[in-house]
Amino acid sequence: MKTSIAALALAAASLLPSLAHAAFPDKPVKIIIGFPAGGPLDGHGRLLADKLQAALGQPVIIDYKAGAGGSVGAEYVAKSAADGYTLMLANTGVMVINPAVYPKLSYQTLRDFVPIARTAQQPLALVVHPGVAAKNVAELVALAKQSPGKLNYGSAGNGGSSHLVPEMFKQATGSFIVHIPYKGSAPAMTDLLAGQVQMMAESVPLASQYVKQGKLRALAVTGQERSPALPDIPTFAELGVKGMEVVGFYGILAPAATPKDVVAKLSEAFRQVLSNPEVQKTMTTQGADPAFLNSEQFARYLADEMPRWARTVERSGTKLD
């Protein structure tokens, strides 16, 4: 009898973790964004959070831990409890560029996080101030070669996609354009609008707003297809500029030791949200293409993207302490 009771107790104890996870979530879920409020990633996060609450049956809260190109937020999430209640919404820079740029980075993407879902892909637009005497990419290249070093471009900081994409452009066209790094996209865009810098590679959601207002001129977009948000702007591939088919992406990650059943439930919730036609329409309007990948697919995607961006960083010569 004592043996049977002990066996039953042991069996019951072994079920406790799965029962606890089956109840997930039983409190609000927090999504950390490593950038200030108001940017493209914030808009994307708020759109998802609004619908995710219905899928999970619990409030979903957006919180900001800005700094060091998103690394502050990433470090915070990596050190958080691995219970599924603290997630990170990250962009290309946080997930695959920072590890290549910062040798002393406090986190490693595939070591310290478990991918939950890729949510979107997003091309960048090469935009110039209207005062630049270039109506298209060919004229921009000619202008840059005519006066090497006279043109400059602003970026959100060393090592991000807004830095690396222009560097790729320079390599592809054999042109010399001076890099002016800023502490974030907002001050760089402010100076671009004022004509203090002349060009920038910016995410389509933000760039398209100013293009449609006539405050900036878009010359080309990265990616393999034109962006619905800028349908009249050609891709670099259309213009014969090779090697510019890079696309930024957004994704959700959790601390590495998050239980598999919790990961699966979260991944399925994001699948449901991204299958919503209303969400898809809003994302497209924002310039981000719905691009769901589940946890395993996203992990494989990151494993492929990291060495690709590392090669780009190496070619650009960008390394930061």
Side-chain angles (χ1 to χ4, degrees):
M1 178 65 72
K2 289 183 179 180
T3 301
S4 299
I5 293 173
L8 287 171
L10 182 61
S14 68
L15 288 174
L16 287 177
S18 60
L19 289 172
H21 299 157
F24 175 87
D26 60 5
K27 62 181 181 180
V29 173
K30 184 179 293 185
I31 296 178
I32 303 298
I33 296 177
F35 299 91
L41 197 62
D42 182 32
H44 182 65
R46 290 187 178 280
L47 173 65
L48 297 182
D50 181 55
K51 301 298 182 183
L52 193 63
Q53 296 187 87
L56 292 176
Q58 289 289 338
V60 177
I61 301 166
I62 301 290
D63 194 10
Y64 308 94
K65 304 289 182 184
S71 297
V72 171
E75 183 176 353
Y76 176 86
V77 174
K79 294 180 178 179
S80 296
D83 54 11
Y85 290 100
T86 303
L87 309 176
M88 174 173 67
L89 173 59
N91 60 14
T92 314
V94 174
M95 289 182 275
V96 300
I97 298 179
N98 283 359
V101 171
Y102 294 96
K104 299 178 182 178
L105 195 66
S106 62
Y107 67 89
Q108 292 183 21
T109 303
L110 295 178
R111 179 196 68 191
D112 297 322
F113 300 98
V114 56
I116 299 294
R118 189 186 70 182
T119 58
Q121 288 188 308
Q122 183 185 67
L124 282 81
L126 182 66
V127 290
V128 298
H129 185 270
V132 174
K135 305 295 185 184
N136 53 52
V137 166
E139 291 181 1
L140 181 67
V141 173
L143 188 63
K145 290 185 175 181
Q146 180 182 341
S147 303
K150 185 176 180 181
L151 285 177
N152 58 47
Y153 73 90
S155 79
N158 288 308
S161 57
S162 62
H163 173 202
L164 294 180
V165 167
E167 290 299 317
M168 294 167 67
F169 175 72
K170 288 164 58 177
Q171 292 167 14
T173 60
S175 54
F176 176 57
I177 304 170
V178 177
H179 176 217
I180 310 294
Y182 288 78
K183 293 182 178 180
S185 178
M189 180 58 70
T190 297
D191 272 9
L192 176 61
L193 293 169
Q196 299 300 314
V197 292
Q198 295 156 308
M199 57 183 283
M200 189 172 176
E202 183 53 89
S203 63
V204 167
L206 183 58
S208 62
Q209 297 177 31
Y210 297 111
V211 171
K212 292 172 182 177
Q213 294 171 18
K215 296 180 179 180
L216 295 176
R217 182 187 305 127
L219 303 185
V221 295
T222 64
Q224 298 180 344
E225 298 178 352
R226 295 191 180 198
S227 169
L230 292 171
D232 297 328
I233 307 303
T235 66
F236 282 102
E238 287 181 68
L239 301 174
V241 181
K242 298 180 180 180
M244 298 293 292
E245 298 85 2
V246 294
V247 178
F249 57 93
Y250 296 156
I252 297 287
L253 301 97
T258 302
K260 291 183 178 180
D261 54 341
V262 172
V263 169
K265 188 163 188 176
L266 286 167
S267 186
E268 171 59 19
F270 279 101
R271 187 197 65 78
Q272 293 176 23
V273 169
L274 291 165
S275 298
N276 184 316
E278 179 184 343
V279 171
Q280 293 179 351
K281 182 178 179 180
T282 302
M283 286 176 62
T284 300
T285 301
Q286 292 176 341
D289 300 321
F292 173 78
L293 291 178
N294 66 26
S295 178
E296 293 182 356
Q297 293 168 332
F298 190 23
R300 289 195 295 269
Y301 178 83
L302 287 173
D304 290 339
E305 285 292 299
M306 293 187 76
R308 181 186 182 194
W309 281 98
R311 289 192 294 270
T312 300
V313 169
E314 184 178 4
R315 288 196 297 267
S316 74
T318 303
K319 282 289 181 182
L320 301 173
D321 292 333

